[in-house]
């Protein structure tokens, strides 16, 4: 018998459409898997058994009536707990939203439901998406299915762990500085940060609004493309949403032809701090692209060196403003409201009790960087660096069609190793942050295992804004070539839990 949890999303949808299996059977197989192993992994904060089965029954009902099903109808998905879900808890990994049940669906949630995708539940994450390891979740860490003592990446570690442990074939993440791509890299899965504005932010809890971008996560490039197509598109409810056609991502993922494509290797993403095995696998991928007919050149983006510093001023600044709304009066937690205290005191006690240390650190940093007298020196300078980074990209994309780099400098590190060292933690996003600052599209996909520790390595591909289809073209080519040579790192060498 086929194990329904081992199929790709495309295979699952085909089996449901042909009647070989039903959406309910598929949902049950995944819910059983979650019940059996998630105690060990802790990918989910909330499992919506009833909602998932109802959604699956609706798909089966449509099929029985002969209605046309969408390309992902009946396929289960793990949703990062940063998107609002009507009637289902949404915590953003924070105590401050504990017990909050949103009265509305995010646009992305609505689109998933309209596509007949079955939402299994909400996944664990670093509080307010601040972190690179999921250790900042107020609800405890998530384990990496390759080695449960290691981090699954962050902030979307629950989503990547759900994929890598076969609890769901599809997942959703959000990427402000790397939180889709870095978890994908360290769990051997595929994650895409679409062009800024390509996927609606309406109903996605804001961290740093000029950088935040939701996107698809999956085990294969084609599955990610199918999900990308389902969630992208203009949304009048999000003022930064792009009013342009969705690039032909599925077509690109099916083609995977890179002959004549110009690929730039970013010179600055190498050297000290990069694990030898990560560089080895990255160099293999570059060689492979050459063999597939791409033209590979080295490019220099000198301002990328300052990306991390600029990000850690811009993101905290925006978060200090965005998180002001958690005042103990509007949603979730309220502390100290005993009738003797003023509203200000209740707000202060609620924020003291509801936010964790990383969130507090960033609110303080951001408030400082935005304060009069320091604004120009910190926030203003960071914005200038952001412009320089955008120009570096523009120059590079004048010469090449896509850029490539390792997604992360190292493979998954042990839980606890960087927990008390924010600076070491921030380094995990060294290679991913520039694309957020410029608003470009970027993907991470598996490119083998590092020889020294046997853990997955991610290849990052970056494309110009609105050229998301190039990611899928290159990603599909690399995935096919790797699979032909060594087998798919996750589908065949999957860790058994
Ligand atoms: N790790 C980065 C941070 O802590 C990026 C987070 C994200 O992309 N949400 O801010």
């Amino acid at each position: 018998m086929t194990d329904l949890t081992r199929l790709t999303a495309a295979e699952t949808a085909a089996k449901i459409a042909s009647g070989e299996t039903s959406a309910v059977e598929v949902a049950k197989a995944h819910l059983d898997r979650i019940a059996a192993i998630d105690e060990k992994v802790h990918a989910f904060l909330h499992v919506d058994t009833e909602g998932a089965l109802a959604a699956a029954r609706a798909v089966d009902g449509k099929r029985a009536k002969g209605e046309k099903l969408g390309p992902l109808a009946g396929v289960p998905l793990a949703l990062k707990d940063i998107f609002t879900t009507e009637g289902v808890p949404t915590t953003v990994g924070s105590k401050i939203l504990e017990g909050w049940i949103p009265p509305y669906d995010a646009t992305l949630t609505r689109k998933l439901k309209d596509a007949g995708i079955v939402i299994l539940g909400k996944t664990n994450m670093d509080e307010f998406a601040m972190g690179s390891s999921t250790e900042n979740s107020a609800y405890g860490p998530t384990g990496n299915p390759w080695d449960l003592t290691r981090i699954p990446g962050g902030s979307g570690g629950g989503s990547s762990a759900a994929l890598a442990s076969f609890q769901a074939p599809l997942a959703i993440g959000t990427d402000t500085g790397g939180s889709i791509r870095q978890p994908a890299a360290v769990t051997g899965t595929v994650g895409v940060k679409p062009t800024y504005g390509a996927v609606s932010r309406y109903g996605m809890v804001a961290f740093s609004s000029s950088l935040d971008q939701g996107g698809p996560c999956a085990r294969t490039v084609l599955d990610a493309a199918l999900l990308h197509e389902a969630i992208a598109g203009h949304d009048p409810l999000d003022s930064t949403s792009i009013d342009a056609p969705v690039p032909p991502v599925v077509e690109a993922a099916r083609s995977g032809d890179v002959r004549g494509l110009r690929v730039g290797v970013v010179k600055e993403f190498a050297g000290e701090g990069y694990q030898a095995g990560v560089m080895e696998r990255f160099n293999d991928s570059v060689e492979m692209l050459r063999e597939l007919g791409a033209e590979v050149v080295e490019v220099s983006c000198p301002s990328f060196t300052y990306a991390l510093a600029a990000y850690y001023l811009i993101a905290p600044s925006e978060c200090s403003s965005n998180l002001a709304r958690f005042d103990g009066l509007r949603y979730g937690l309220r502390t100290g409201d005993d009738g003797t205290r003023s509203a200000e005191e209740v707000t202060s006690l609620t924020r003291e009790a509801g936010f964790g240390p990383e969130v507090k650190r960033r609110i303080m940093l951001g408030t400082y960087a935005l304060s009069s007298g320091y604004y120009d020196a910190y926030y203003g300078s960071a914005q200038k660096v952001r412009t320089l980074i955008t120009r570096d990209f523009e120059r590079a994309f004048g010469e090449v069609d896509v850029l490539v780099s390792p997604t992360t400098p190292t493979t998954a590190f042990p839980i606890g190793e960087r927990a008390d060292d924010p600076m070491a933690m921030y380094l995990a996003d060294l290679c991913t942050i520039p694309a957020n600052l410029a608003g470009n599209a970027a993907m991470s996909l598996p490119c083998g295992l590092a020889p020294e520790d046997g853990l997955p390595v991610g290849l990052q591909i970056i494309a110009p804004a609105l050229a998301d289809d190039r990611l899928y073209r290159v990603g599909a080519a690399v995935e096919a070539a790797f699979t032909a040579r060594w087998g798919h790192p996750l589908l065949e060498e999957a860790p058994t839990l």
Side-chain angles (χ1 to χ4, degrees):
M1 208 191 92
T2 332
D3 179 350
L4 295 172
T5 64
R6 296 265 152 173
L7 301 175
T8 67
E11 288 164 350
T12 306
K15 280 190 195 296
I16 292 170
S18 72
E20 201 182 319
T21 186
S22 69
V24 168
E25 277 179 79
V26 171
K28 280 189 179 153
H30 286 88
L31 291 165
D32 286 350
R33 175 91 179 145
I34 294 170
I37 66 159
D38 205 43
E39 211 178 319
K40 285 192 266 179
V41 182
H42 194 225
F44 287 91
L45 290 177
H46 180 85
V47 179
D48 183 18
T49 306
E50 285 317 307
L53 290 173
R57 274 195 296 271
V59 171
D60 289 338
K62 271 191 164 180
R63 189 183 173 274
K65 279 194 259 157
E67 286 178 38
K68 195 170 159 16
L69 299 179
L72 289 174
V75 180
L77 175 139
L79 180 58
K80 188 175 183 183
D81 202 21
I82 192 168
F83 287 93
T84 59
T85 38
E86 188 181 343
V88 173
T90 300
T91 67
V92 208
S94 180
K95 286 282 178 212
I96 210 152
L97 278 183
E98 194 165 24
W100 183 58
I101 312 258
Y104 72 109
D105 275 335
T107 296
L108 178 135
T109 307
R110 171 95 341 257
K111 279 181 173 267
L112 294 172
K113 290 182 178 173
D114 290 347
I117 293 169
V118 173
I119 302 172
L120 295 169
K122 311 291 291 288
T123 56
N124 198 16
M125 53 183 288
D126 284 302
E127 185 176 7
F128 282 95
M130 299 175 194
S132 307
S133 68
T134 313
E135 291 166 287
N136 293 337
S137 166
Y139 302 97
T142 295
N144 186 324
W146 287 81
D147 173 351
L148 292 172
T149 68
R150 290 176 186 261
I151 59 107
S155 60
S159 285
S160 64
L163 292 172
S165 57
F166 297 89
Q167 301 189 60
L170 295 175
I172 292 288
T174 62
D175 196 308
T176 302
S179 286
I180 288 177
R181 290 162 286 159
Q182 183 257 4
V186 299
T187 55
T189 57
V190 179
V192 176
K193 181 200 95 65
T195 297
Y196 179 76
V199 174
S200 171
R201 287 190 296 113
Y202 178 75
M204 176 177 133
V205 179
F207 160 17
S208 179
S209 310
S210 75
L211 302 163
D212 298 342
Q213 182 57 63
C217 309
R219 290 191 292 261
T220 69
V221 172
L222 176 61
D223 284 0
L226 290 165
L227 184 55
H228 188 134
E229 203 164 69
I231 58 174
H234 180 239
D235 180 11
L237 297 173
D238 171 1
S239 62
T240 57
S241 167
I242 295 173
D243 194 357
V246 179
V249 292
V250 174
E251 197 187 309
R254 290 195 198 277
S255 129
D257 182 1
V258 294
R259 277 170 300 175
L261 200 88
R262 294 165 306 162
V263 175
V265 175
V266 184
K267 195 175 106 192
E268 283 73 15
F269 290 146
E272 206 195 324
Y274 286 79
Q275 191 179 321
V278 167
M279 289 320 288
E280 201 176 312
R281 288 286 90 93
F282 170 67
N283 292 331
D284 286 348
S285 324
V286 172
E287 203 36 56
M288 201 166 265
L289 280 164
R290 231 184 236 123
E291 285 167 24
L292 290 166
E295 188 190 312
V296 182
V297 295
E298 191 180 80
V299 297
S300 175
C301 296
S303 308
F304 284 14
T305 322
Y306 308 108
L308 198 66
Y311 173 89
Y312 277 101
L313 284 167
I314 293 168
S317 296
E318 292 186 13
C319 103
S320 72
S321 160
N322 271 327
L323 269 55
R325 73 190 65 170
F326 300 100
D327 54 6
L329 308 179
R330 283 178 253 221
Y331 344 72
L333 186 75
R334 182 177 302 172
T335 307
D337 184 15
D338 60 5
T340 68
R341 294 191 171 91
S342 67
E344 284 77 11
E345 284 170 314
V346 172
T347 295
S348 166
L349 287 169
T350 302
R351 287 166 71 85
E352 167 60 30
F355 289 140
E358 183 63 21
V359 174
K360 287 179 184 155
R361 179 179 300 123
R362 296 203 192 187
I363 291 174
M364 286 191 286
L365 268 171
T367 306
Y368 182 78
L370 290 177
S371 57
S372 72
Y374 294 105
Y375 183 95
D376 286 336
Y378 295 118
Y379 185 74
S381 304
Q383 289 292 19
K384 284 180 192 154
V385 170
R386 191 172 185 174
T387 302
L388 293 176
I389 288 167
T390 306
R391 286 193 191 141
D392 273 3
F393 271 121
E394 279 167 8
R395 236 189 333 267
F397 287 129
E399 289 170 41
V400 297
D401 300 303
V402 293
L403 294 169
V404 292
S405 77
T407 308
T408 54
T410 70
T411 55
F413 46 88
I415 291 176
E417 189 186 82
R418 302 189 192 177
D420 300 322
D421 186 352
M423 292 306 280
M425 188 72 83
Y426 297 168
L427 288 174
D429 295 308
L430 206 57
C431 313
T432 47
I433 280 172
N436 297 85
L437 290 171
N440 295 332
M443 169 189 278
S444 176
L445 81 157
C447 65
L449 307 176
E452 59 270 61
D453 54 21
L455 292 169
V457 176
L459 167 69
Q460 176 173 236
I461 308 164
I462 309 176
L466 295 175
D468 306 45
D469 51 316
R470 289 186 203 169
L471 305 175
Y472 290 95
R473 183 174 297 279
V474 180
V478 172
E479 181 182 65
F482 264 97
T483 309
R485 194 169 301 182
W486 289 311
H488 191 286
L490 192 60
L491 302 183
E492 286 164 38
E493 287 177 58
T496 40
L497 283 160

